[in-house]
Amino acid sequence: MPPVALLPSLSSEPAMSLELHPHPPSPQYDEEEKASPSSSSSSASSPAAEDARPFLRRSASAAGGGGRSRRRRTVSEPSLRSLSSHTSRGRSLGRDVGHAAAETFLLTRLAITLLRYLGVGYRWITKFLALICYATLLMPGFLQVGYYYFFSSQVRRSIVYGDRPRNRLDLYLPTKVDGLKPVVAFVTGGAWIIGYKAWGALLGRRLAERGIIVACIDYRIYLIGQSAGAHIAACTILDQAIKECGERECTSWSVSQIKAYFGISGGYNMLELVDHFHSRGLYRSIFLSIMEGEQNLWRFSPEVLVQDSSIKHAISLLPHVILFHGTSDQSIPSTASKKFVDTLHGVGAKVDIVLFEGKTHTDLFLQDPLRGGKDELLEHIAAVIYGGVAAAHAHISVAPLPRRLVPEFMLQLARKISPF
């Protein structure tokens, strides 16, 4: 499988618009949409805007074709080299500290938004206390990942890909930038409320060490979604496939530009999961508010939608779907992925599932990478991207073996008290 790197242009052309639905009708969206028009123009001369200057150019194949042409963009070797050199020049401690302060402010806003949704209740309070203990135990690893995120020359943070305030992504670059590289777009989890691109820092680092460019999107390519992000990404792909089969408006990207979709610990039938989430502390009233009402649950349930005979032609456009799930996941049971796989098989889609015996909701995404050494999930992903186990091992062998970031006893204790 030849690596193809496809990303939205950051030039003055219309940016690719990923319609990541559903989104919570939280106060932060209202505040951002009410921002004055002058804010975007004034930011053009700021250091952050300078960081977001165009570095990707359209490939020659994009110029030709008629009718429903599909634009493809290639990350070339010179552009990657110039990007890498740009990150090593002009970086100052003051700018890095300023970025860190801005990110911290945004995280605080997201936390306040979550608190406004959840309110106060016994079940939520116990989970909040468990979360504090969980984060404290994993803090040695979080601090090291945070340092990498804010100060590594291989990370480009908050690149603008659209005209809305949260249309930002983080880019993780391999150390070697020779030749074309495969690209992964990652949509993180966050209970559909506090999804944030920095949550993907650990995954981005590990994949970049294996020669893969990773774009962590803030809510053409390989697409990865985790937890709520897996659901959002699945909804986005299916919605785009339906658009391409009908007479709906044209968009700036195509499902054919996505080679594979990886769903990690996701849920795909909201009609069946709403009561489960309620029992876990994501109360029914809150969840229905996020999903824009009970009447819309079916619209945000890919497992239900693909069974509609009126969209059967859209199924043939879907990329290869690979789902990963731990069998001990309590936040979203592994049966959610199993049922979605069975349904996709039934309608003729290309789909596979990998179940990790005894793994929880956070094992695959947090505890296992923090443990260092061999990572089974990443090896599965790399095998698909590079077209086979042997080819993947050739790329992995040149990457340094990840070191342990958190002592084992702390990982085990955090696993036991995890609220997820």
Side-chain angles (χ1 to χ4, degrees):
M1 179 185 301
V4 178
L6 301 154
L7 279 174
S9 170
L10 299 183
S11 65
S12 58
E13 302 173 340
M16 179 180 75
S17 174
L18 287 180
E19 299 177 5
L20 301 179
H21 291 293
H23 62 74
S26 65
Q28 77 180 55
Y29 286 94
D30 296 335
E31 293 167 5
E32 291 168 344
E33 292 304 312
K34 292 178 181 176
S36 64
S38 61
S39 61
S40 55
S41 60
S42 62
S43 65
S45 60
S46 66
E50 181 183 344
D51 286 345
R53 68 184 184 181
F55 62 87
L56 302 176
R57 62 172 179 260
R58 184 178 305 189
S59 64
S61 61
R68 298 180 63 189
S69 62
R70 288 169 176 169
R71 293 180 293 175
R72 301 168 63 88
R73 294 171 173 81
T74 304
V75 183
S76 64
E77 180 180 349
S79 63
L80 279 178
R81 291 191 183 280
S82 64
L83 174 59
S84 184
S85 62
H86 174 72
T87 61
S88 62
R89 298 194 307 264
R91 283 218 175 206
S92 66
L93 179 61
R95 177 177 297 184
D96 287 333
V97 172
H99 275 300
E103 302 288 334
T104 302
F105 175 72
L106 179 55
L107 290 178
T108 303
R109 288 182 57 195
L110 291 173
I112 293 174
T113 299
L114 180 62
L115 289 174
R116 289 160 118 180
Y117 264 96
L118 295 179
V120 178
Y122 170 76
R123 186 183 292 125
W124 182 85
I125 290 176
T126 57
K127 288 189 175 294
F128 180 71
L129 294 176
L131 176 61
I132 293 177
C133 296
Y134 176 80
T136 300
L137 288 167
L138 299 183
M139 191 56 66
F142 290 162
L143 290 175
Q144 294 176 72
V145 174
Y147 182 85
Y148 167 82
Y149 176 74
F150 285 113
F151 299 108
S152 172
S153 62
Q154 304 307 123
V155 182
R156 288 295 305 275
R157 299 185 308 276
S158 298
I159 295 175
V160 178
Y161 70 85
D163 56 1
R164 302 187 69 177
R166 290 286 302 279
N167 286 168
R168 305 289 187 270
L169 61 83
D170 295 328
L171 206 59
Y172 297 81
L173 303 175
T175 303
K176 291 186 176 181
V177 292
D178 52 322
L180 297 177
K181 300 293 183 183
V183 178
V184 159
F186 177 65
V187 185
T188 186
W192 296 274
I193 300 175
I194 57 169
Y196 179 54
K197 55 189 174 57
W199 300 163
L202 188 54
L203 178 72
R205 177 179 183 177
R206 294 293 182 244
L207 287 177
E209 290 171 349
R210 289 156 173 80
I212 300 168
I213 299 173
V214 181
C216 289
I217 306 172
D218 218 5
Y219 329 88
R220 290 171 284 252
I221 347 174
Y222 296 89
L223 183 61
I224 299 179
Q226 187 264 339
S227 191
H231 166 255
I232 293 172
C235 288
T236 302
I237 293 174
L238 183 57
D239 182 66
Q240 180 65 21
I242 294 172
K243 287 180 180 178
E244 293 179 25
C245 282
E247 299 298 327
R248 297 169 67 174
E249 62 185 40
C250 295
T251 57
S252 57
W253 67 286
S254 168
V255 173
S256 66
Q257 295 171 317
I258 297 178
K259 288 194 170 184
Y261 160 66
F262 303 93
I264 306 172
S265 307
Y268 310 97
N269 189 332
M270 300 299 104
L271 292 167
E272 291 186 355
L273 288 172
V274 59
D275 291 330
H276 174 77
F277 290 149
H278 180 82
S279 68
R280 296 285 300 170
L282 183 54
Y283 301 126
R284 186 182 183 90
S285 58
I286 298 170
F287 186 69
L288 292 180
S289 174
I290 295 171
M291 296 292 148
E292 301 174 358
E294 187 169 5
Q295 71 278 7
N296 287 314
L297 287 180
W298 68 271
R299 292 178 51 229
F300 301 130
S301 298
E303 180 185 322
V304 175
L305 288 175
V306 296
Q307 299 178 63
D308 186 347
S309 59
S310 66
I311 65 166
K312 61 181 180 180
H313 296 297
I315 305 302
S316 63
L317 299 181
L318 296 178
H320 184 191
V321 174
I322 306 101
L323 303 184
F324 303 102
H325 221 121
T327 60
S328 295
D329 192 331
Q330 299 298 316
S331 295
I332 303 178
S334 59
T335 53
S337 288
K338 293 177 185 177
K339 290 181 178 179
F340 191 33
V341 165
D342 290 341
T343 302
L344 287 172
H345 270 307
V347 296
K350 184 181 180 182
V351 58
D352 291 294
I353 185 171
V354 179
L355 297 176
F356 296 87
E357 191 65 33
K359 297 294 185 180
T360 67
H361 193 68
T362 55
D363 277 338
L364 300 177
F365 186 65
L366 276 179
Q367 282 94 280
D368 286 353
L370 290 174
R371 185 172 279 111
K374 180 179 178 180
D375 191 314
E376 193 175 356
L377 172 64
L378 292 184
E379 292 198 355
H380 277 292
I381 294 175
V384 174
I385 291 177
Y386 286 118
V389 175
H393 282 169
H395 287 82
I396 294 174
S397 61
V398 300
L401 190 67
R403 62 185 180 84
R404 178 182 290 277
L405 300 180
V406 178
E408 184 62 28
F409 82 93
M410 297 179 73
L411 288 172
Q412 292 296 335
L413 186 56
R415 189 178 191 268
K416 291 182 180 298
I417 66 173
S418 171
F420 305 108

